[in-house]
Amino acid sequence: MDFLSFLIKGRSLSTPRQCSIVKPNFPALLRFSSSDSAAYTATYDFETLTVTAPDDHILHVQLNRPECYNAMNKMFWREMLDCFRKIRDDRYCRAVIISGSGQLFSAGLDYSDMQDLTSQVAGKGDVARKAKFLLSLIAKYQESFNAVENCQKPVIAAIHGKCSGGGVDLICACDIRYCSEDAFFEIEEVDVGMAADMGTLQRLPKIVGNDSLVREYAFSCAKIDPQEAKTIGLVGRVFPTKDAMMTSALALAKVITSKSPVAIQGTKVAMNFSRDHSVQDGLQFMTYWNMTMLQSEDVLKAAEATINKSDKPPKYSKL
């Protein structure tokens, strides 16, 4: 029975049922071979990032400078922007995991790059022209993490070891944050003579909901341990090991990819918009959004699966 016929017969979709948080092991929606996977991810060819496809519709973006603790150099900023713009337009991908290779997630900015930058602006020259140069550079770097936030696919950050400076900027642009028990976090920019300018000071107060506490961390560069990070809402879950964390991140990504990509991506867009606008503005935005998206075939497929109490999720088309 199709959805419209169901409505005509006058049945209700609101059958009461007990809800619980589960992690079902859904079957793959579109299983491809390891050779197909390699060919697919080969299009994501970067020097500072490694991109793999651990399961259908999931991409794993790994910071890949372990020899220098995944410090963020000029190449990284360019590649991060290119990578997430590509993911944004990738119709196959429905969820992303970000992690760090080696001993830790990221030590933040690559200070050898900072020295190169300092040498360009420290010499003689007109202050207006130096400022113009820095304005363009900072805005370009900010776009790299804005691309993570603006990518409509949910992004799960999986953090182990140290996460400081630019690492905190990056995870604040992600949707969901997991960490292992060896993780810790530092907003360290004040200690290197600058104010953080890649998003932590703008996003973290909204994530944590405690402006006073974020100012304390930012002014003092105090270390935030994993349990404190969970208590204040910086991370959602803490795991005993990196392996356990990665397993759970992948399990969550699989659940997300089993849902309608129209619904998931619309939910992310709506939550990002509502975070930065009034409740009324957010409701108005969703009126315009859903006047189109409720016409999607995904609504009919999801309703039919619910009506039929199917054990398997519908097979949704690429978006």
Side-chain angles (χ1 to χ4, degrees), residues 39-46 49 51 59 61 78-94 96 143-144 147-148 150-153 265 319:
Y40 167 55
T41 55
T43 63
Y44 288 87
D45 184 20
F46 302 107
L49 304 170
V51 182
L59 287 177
V61 178
R78 290 194 297 270
E79 292 189 338
M80 196 71 178
L81 179 58
D82 291 344
C83 180
F84 273 87
R85 282 181 172 172
K86 187 175 180 67
I87 291 173
R88 176 196 62 191
D89 298 330
D90 187 333
R91 296 180 61 214
Y92 183 81
C93 176
R94 297 183 187 176
V96 185
E143 268 305 298
S144 299
V148 177
N150 294 332
C151 174
Q152 294 183 0
K153 289 73 184 283
Q265 294 179 36
L319 180 63

Side-chain angles (χ1 to χ4, degrees), residues 100-114:
S101 61
Q103 299 179 30
L104 49 83
F105 182 78
S106 176
L109 295 178
D110 186 331
Y111 291 109
S112 63
D113 269 12
M114 287 289 290

Side-chain angles (χ1 to χ4, degrees), residues 47-48 65 71-78 110 113 141:
E47 182 178 311
T48 66
R65 301 186 73 214
M72 300 171 177
N73 62 357
K74 286 179 285 191
M75 178 69 75
F76 166 84
W77 296 106
R78 290 194 297 270
D110 186 331
D113 269 12
Y141 282 8

